[in-house]
Amino acid sequence: MLVPLAAPGLAQAQTEAGGKDRPPLVTNDVTIELYGSVQLDAIYDFNRMDPNWVGAFRPSKIPTTPDLFGEDGQANFSARQTLFGISGAAPVNGRDAKVSFEFDLFGSGSNEGETTFHLQRASVEWGPVLAGYDKTLLMDPDLFPNIIDYWGPAGMIYVKNAGIRYAFVNSDSTYFAASLELPGNDVDPGLIRVLDPALGANLTSTQKYPDLLLAGRFSGDWGHVRLGGVVRRVGFETAGAPGGEPNGGEMGWGLNLTGVFNLGENSVFRAGGVYGEGIASYFNDGGTDLAPELDTASLTVEAQPAEIYGVMAYFEQSWNDQWSSAIGVSRTNLNNTNLQAGDAFHRGDYASVNLLYKPSDALLIGGELLYGTREDNNGDEGEDVRVQFSLRYSYGVTIMGRQ
């Protein structure tokens, strides 16, 4: 994705013009908040995890081939969950414009395995409009349980995305919004690599139209229920070929039903279920959006949006003002097509239980036991057991000023 740069002479021209055409950067009643946390994770895997993902517990990164990454039993320390953010608010035409910028140190993508800058949020909200890079509208931002593992339950929707949304209703009890978001998708060439190596090597995803998302939420003292939905096009093309052919696309769709329920003063239950086709890239872990399918009757190959579902359930108990626990399970399950390779991801399970201690609002110390499994398309399985101990210190300062 290309990000346009500002015109080289723009800032200089505005300065020379005395800023006459530039809106003020500081207004009355400005609020600025600096916040963040420093966290150290001490981790021991009794089995193995992909070395690039030792700082997070992801079932899709568990090897299903014995000794693929070496012998079992590995110790690690990670400070990648350390986070810094800055937010600000100022009135614009009678409404507050709220700007947020946030990052942690958990490298991903081309930087996976590194402790480096990792954007978490860069957005502006003004009245009913939110634009920028933020949590996708498909996900329930309150569903993530009170755990210390960075990645969290596999079978839930959890992704940050660039887009623009509009909230038609936003009250204490009711929320309804729509958004257009970046249509990133994952294409698996599968066994086409074997049938036609040149074609398989050049098949890639294409993004012709933005994803359309809707979400509604009903809340009360008892908690909330939320339903999100997405309709999208998942497409493919052949890089370097005339017209990108062969190319094409299929419709993907999905529904995400979630709820958080207050079970008395000290207990909370979080649960969710998501189902769809061609929406694996919205999942917290595992799966592919589009894969080849062989029609055995006509012996033709077609692109098929992969069917996928995910579930998660977590129970949280506060023992007193300082001690709390969370226990739960989650699953991601992909219905593989008949031309996906044997080692393609099929199912991932995630489970954890913890004991957390907060001697103050700023300091958290805790231990967590995690268990995960991965099953491939051919039935091969792998598992990992992890113990994690974490210490996190959070901070924040709010600055209010007047011009």
Side-chain angles (χ1 to χ4, degrees):
M1 180 178 66
L2 298 177
V3 179
L5 299 176
L10 179 59
Q12 181 180 351
Q14 289 180 333
T15 300
E16 293 174 351
K20 294 179 181 179
D21 299 324
R22 182 174 57 189
L25 298 179
V26 179
T27 65
N28 291 336
D29 301 318
V30 175
T31 301
I32 299 175
E33 182 182 4
L34 304 177
Y35 62 92
S37 62
V38 176
Q39 180 164 333
L40 176 67
D41 300 324
I43 296 168
Y44 189 84
D45 283 301
F46 290 90
N47 303 98
R48 284 305 292 261
M49 183 72 67
D50 183 332
N52 286 330
W53 292 94
V54 293
F57 196 74
R58 297 187 62 182
S60 69
K61 302 302 178 180
I62 296 174
T64 55
T65 301
D67 302 322
L68 178 64
F69 300 122
E71 64 177 329
D72 290 343
Q74 291 289 301
N76 292 280
F77 286 89
S78 172
R80 299 176 195 171
Q81 292 205 58
T82 295
L83 178 141
F84 178 78
I86 179 171
S87 63
V92 177
N93 289 347
R95 290 177 171 173
D96 272 354
K98 304 173 183 177
V99 178
S100 299
F101 176 73
E102 184 178 301
F103 66 92
D104 63 22
L105 302 179
F106 204 99
S108 63
S110 61
N111 295 319
E112 68 179 34
E114 299 180 13
T115 302
T116 187
F117 175 88
H118 177 221
L119 182 65
Q120 284 288 345
R121 191 176 187 187
S123 62
V124 57
E125 185 176 6
W126 184 62
V129 178
L130 186 149
Y133 184 81
D134 213 312
K135 297 180 179 70
T136 175
L137 186 63
L138 186 61
M139 71 175 279
D140 184 342
D142 296 320
L143 188 65
F144 201 91
N146 187 29
I147 59 178
I148 54 177
D149 170 43
Y150 179 82
W151 212 259
M156 64 181 289
I157 299 296
Y158 194 93
V159 69
K160 312 290 178 61
N161 208 359
I164 183 168
R165 75 178 60 169
Y166 186 90
F168 298 95
V169 181
N170 190 2
S171 67
D172 291 340
S173 61
T174 308
Y175 176 81
F176 179 70
S179 70
L180 294 175
E181 298 185 11
L182 179 70
N185 62 81
D186 178 57
V187 174
D188 180 8
L191 295 180
I192 290 180
R193 295 189 183 101
V194 177
L195 302 176
D196 189 337
L199 175 62
N202 293 316
L203 281 178
T204 184
S205 62
T206 181
Q207 304 168 179
K208 284 200 169 187
Y209 310 107
D211 293 353
L212 173 63
L213 298 93
L214 298 170
R217 168 174 164 152
F218 298 96
S219 306
D221 293 338
W222 48 271
H224 77 263
V225 173
R226 189 181 191 275
L227 179 63
V230 59
V231 177
R232 63 196 312 235
R233 178 188 185 272
V234 285
F236 71 96
E237 62 184 353
T238 307
E245 296 183 352
N247 56 29
E250 299 292 334
M251 188 183 80
W253 64 274
L255 293 173
N256 184 31
L257 179 63
T258 59
V260 178
F261 307 96
N262 300 320
L263 309 177
E265 294 184 2
N266 301 315
S267 304
V268 176
F269 180 65
R270 307 177 194 271
V274 55
Y275 175 81
E277 297 179 351
I279 61 166
S281 55
Y282 279 96
F283 271 63
N284 199 25
D285 187 50
T288 188
D289 294 311
L290 196 68
E293 174 85 16
L294 175 65
D295 186 328
T296 55
S298 61
L299 297 180
T300 57
V301 177
E302 297 180 349
Q304 181 72 29
E307 181 183 22
I308 190 171
Y309 76 79
V311 292
M312 66 86 69
Y314 264 78
F315 176 76
E316 299 172 7
Q317 176 69 39
S318 296
W319 306 111
N320 54 42
D321 292 340
Q322 296 179 326
W323 293 89
S324 66
S325 295
I327 183 172
V329 296
S330 182
R331 166 173 285 187
T332 300
N333 190 94
L334 181 77
N335 186 14
N336 299 100
T337 65
N338 58 18
L339 276 184
Q340 283 192 268
D343 62 356
F345 175 89
H346 171 59
R347 177 182 298 122
D349 291 324
Y350 177 106
S352 70
V353 60
N354 64 27
L355 180 63
L356 308 179
Y357 173 59
K358 291 193 70 174
S360 70
D361 290 340
L363 182 63
L364 180 143
I365 304 169
E368 197 160 79
L369 176 66
L370 301 106
Y371 175 74
T373 65
R374 169 179 169 148
E375 181 181 343
D376 289 342
N377 186 27
N378 59 10
D380 288 348
E381 296 182 345
E383 66 176 2
D384 190 18
V385 178
R386 169 176 291 188
V387 175
Q388 177 173 328
F389 296 95
S390 299
L391 186 150
R392 179 172 68 222
Y393 182 83
S394 302
Y395 58 89
V397 58
T398 300
I399 303 171
M400 299 184 67
R402 299 186 65 87
Q403 189 177 22

